[in-house]
């Protein structure tokens, strides 16, 4: 960490501060903005602290804070990325040479990225994007951008500011703000409901499904098991990073697990709840013992019904496997990688590369998805 923080930037009407460590930011004030701005666990102080504890690559924090007077009204987690397995994979697909590090807001590992602003202070988003550009210049970084920006207002804002965008994957989200479990499952035809109940009974004879934690060692073992089974290098989710996330996000942890008759955990949905949003970030499975995903449907039904019964308003079921997640009532949310540069010729190359990337990420069920890797 630098001994002194960079000087504040004035992008009227906001003062932008750049922090080279999340530890220099008050956690309560930061999370207050995240919660009120509709953010998820991936924007929280704790998630960013885990990144500093054990980054999955080489990252230098350059977090942006927008103030209106003395009030913190917007935040934008960001990193100068020197090495990231996920980003390297995407740039290889796009045949894109970034020419060095990139300033990214904030991580391809997260299910959400980009700036957040309090209601009534949406103009802070423009100031934060402007600060992202000037910070890139201050750092001597040629390219800057936003990772996993969800489709919607933020996507439109990025396009208006000249970003090249690629729809790289899709996240699937369920709205669980309904009175009862029966109300939620009302969209399912009776025949399919009966089929699902039969599947749950069959699964229940083999496994005990519960909302229960998995210890760090079990979590790592099951996550890495499925990564290796799908041909995904485990360096996208290193053991040290998973341990850091588990420790830092303990206050928000809500996991669903499946245990066999001997009480051994054989499957896990790793999730965290923040401000009424439950993010099921990753799924793990003991692929040496199970050749197929027998407990997954029962686990998915359990987490949805657990959300309906509590204050959870929505669940993010994560990326991939859209066909099954649609059957659970999830709707697709496209996630974009958005990149920009100050050089006009380089900008044209970025647009061409993003077009190639989007084409190469074309997956099954007519949804863009990275099919060569499972996360």
């Amino acid at each position: 960490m630098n001994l002194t923080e960079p000087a504040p930037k004035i992008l009227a009407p906001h003062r932008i501060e750049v922090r080279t460590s999340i530890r220099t930011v008050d956690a309560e004030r930061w999370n207050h903005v995240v919660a009120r701005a509709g953010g998820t666990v991936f924007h929280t102080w704790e998630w960013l602290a885990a990144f500093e504890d054990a980054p999955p690559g080489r990252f230098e924090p350059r977090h942006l804070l927008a103030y209106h007077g003395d009030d913190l009204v917007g935040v934008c987690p960001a990193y100068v990325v020197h090495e990231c397995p996920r980003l390297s994979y995407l740039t290889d697909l796009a045949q894109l040479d970034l020419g060095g590090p990139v300033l990214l807001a904030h991580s391809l590992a997260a299910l959400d990225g980009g700036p957040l602003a309090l209601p009534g202070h949406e103009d802070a988003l423009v100031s934060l994007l402007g600060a992202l550009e000037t910070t890139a210049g201050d750092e001597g970084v040629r390219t800057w951008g936003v990772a996993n920006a969800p489709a919607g207002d933020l996507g439109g804002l990025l396009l208006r500011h000249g970003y090249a965008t690629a729809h790289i994957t899709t996240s699937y989200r369920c709205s669980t703000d309904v009175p009862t479990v029966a109300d939620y499952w009302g969209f399912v035809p009776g025949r399919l409901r009966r089929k699902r109940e039969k599947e749950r009974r069959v699964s229940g004879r083999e496994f005990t499904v519960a909302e229960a934690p998995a210890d760090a060692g079990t979590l790592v073992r099951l996550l890495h098991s499925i990564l290796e089974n799908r041909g995904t290098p485990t360096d996208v989710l290193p053991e040290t990073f998973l341990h850091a996330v588990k420790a830092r996000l303990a206050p928000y942890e809500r996991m669903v697990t499946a245990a066999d008759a001997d009480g051994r955990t054989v499957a896990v949905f790793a999730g965290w709840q923040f401000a009424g949003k439950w993010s099921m970030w990753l799924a793990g499975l003991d692929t040496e013992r199970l050749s197929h995903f027998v407990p997954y449907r029962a686990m998915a039904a359990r987490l949805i019904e657990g959300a309906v019964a509590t204050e959870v308003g929505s669940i993010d079921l994560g990326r991939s496997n859209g066909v099954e997640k649609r059957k659970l009532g999830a709707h697709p949310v496209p996630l974009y990688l958005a990149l920009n540069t100050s050089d006009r010729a380089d900008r044209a190359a970025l647009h061409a590369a993003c077009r190639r990337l989007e084409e190469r990420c074309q997956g099954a069920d007519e949804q863009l998805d990275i099919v060569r890797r499972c996360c």
Side-chain angles (χ1 to χ4, degrees):
M1 173 187 160
N2 296 343
L3 293 178
T4 58
E5 300 289 356
K9 309 172 192 297
I10 306 300
L11 283 82
H14 301 102
R15 182 181 84 255
I16 307 294
E17 293 185 1
V18 183
R19 300 295 179 90
T20 57
S21 172
I22 196 63
R23 298 184 184 94
T24 68
V25 181
D26 182 83
E28 186 174 351
R29 291 189 74 188
W30 178 281
N31 284 348
H32 174 74
V33 173
V34 174
R36 288 195 57 206
T40 67
V41 70
F42 301 104
H43 278 88
T44 61
W45 189 96
E46 291 81 2
W47 170 271
L48 302 173
F51 242 80
E52 287 192 40
D53 291 344
R58 289 198 299 127
F59 301 80
E60 290 185 67
R62 293 295 184 270
H63 304 311
L64 307 176
L65 293 81
Y67 290 87
H68 189 270
D70 293 329
D71 296 328
L72 180 63
V73 297
V75 298
C76 182
Y79 297 91
V80 177
V81 182
H82 295 275
E83 180 184 339
C84 171
R86 294 172 185 269
L87 184 60
S88 296
Y89 178 68
L90 292 178
T91 54
D92 286 346
L93 284 181
Q95 302 171 356
L96 173 63
D97 180 7
L98 293 173
V102 56
L103 180 65
L104 206 57
H106 56 94
S107 166
L108 287 160
L111 296 179
D112 293 284
L116 295 173
L118 292 178
H121 292 275
E122 287 79 7
D123 55 347
L125 297 176
V126 177
S127 296
L128 287 165
L129 289 179
L132 195 67
E133 178 178 353
T134 58
T135 301
D138 294 343
E139 298 292 331
V141 173
R142 195 173 80 183
T143 306
W144 65 91
V146 177
N148 286 339
D153 293 342
L154 177 57
L157 185 63
L158 293 168
L159 288 172
R160 289 196 298 274
H161 281 76
Y163 282 75
T165 62
H167 177 186
I168 57 172
T169 188
T170 301
S171 191
Y172 294 88
R173 303 179 184 180
C174 304
S175 176
T176 55
D177 187 17
V178 294
T180 68
V181 168
D183 290 320
Y184 182 86
W185 294 118
F187 73 93
V188 181
R191 177 179 60 82
L192 292 181
R193 278 203 302 270
R194 290 190 293 272
K195 180 181 178 182
R196 177 177 290 125
E197 286 304 314
K198 181 179 179 180
E199 290 173 344
R200 292 180 69 174
R201 288 195 300 271
V202 170
S203 179
R205 288 196 289 268
E206 297 184 62
F207 307 102
T208 300
V209 173
E211 188 177 324
D215 62 75
T218 298
L219 179 63
V220 171
R221 175 177 59 83
L222 295 178
L223 293 181
H224 282 187
S225 175
I226 197 170
L227 290 180
E228 293 168 349
N229 181 263
R230 294 294 189 88
T232 302
T234 57
D235 62 355
V236 300
L237 291 168
E239 181 175 352
T240 53
F241 175 55
L242 291 172
H243 277 273
V245 168
K246 176 134 174 84
R248 287 287 190 179
L249 298 182
Y252 311 127
E253 184 178 279
R254 289 188 68 176
M255 295 189 181
V256 174
T257 59
D260 62 15
D262 296 325
R264 180 180 171 87
T265 301
V266 294
V268 60
F269 287 166
W272 291 267
Q273 179 190 337
F274 179 80
K277 296 181 178 180
W278 191 358
S279 301
M280 303 309 296
W281 180 37
L282 292 170
L285 186 73
D286 189 339
T287 57
E288 291 185 359
R289 302 183 62 203
L290 300 177
S291 60
H292 50 93
F293 301 89
V294 173
Y296 271 18
R297 287 181 179 173
M299 292 168 68
R302 176 67 182 83
L303 75 90
I304 287 171
E305 292 171 5
V308 171
T310 60
E311 72 279 10
V312 175
S314 65
I315 305 175
D316 192 332
L317 295 178
R319 298 167 286 219
S320 302
N321 204 13
V323 172
E324 290 299 320
K325 290 172 182 177
R326 287 173 182 272
K327 294 176 183 177
L328 296 167
H331 64 276
V333 177
L335 299 178
Y336 291 84
L337 176 65
L339 299 172
N340 210 339
T341 183
S342 56
D343 184 272
R344 181 174 295 181
D346 287 345
R347 187 175 299 162
L350 279 181
H351 281 273
C354 283
R355 177 65 179 273
R356 285 194 299 272
L357 177 60
E358 192 166 281
E359 290 173 349
R360 298 202 67 184
C361 288
Q362 183 70 48
D365 94 287
E366 298 180 350
Q367 289 298 321
L368 287 167
D369 218 338
I370 296 176
V371 295
R372 296 168 182 82
R373 294 191 177 190
C374 66
C375 66

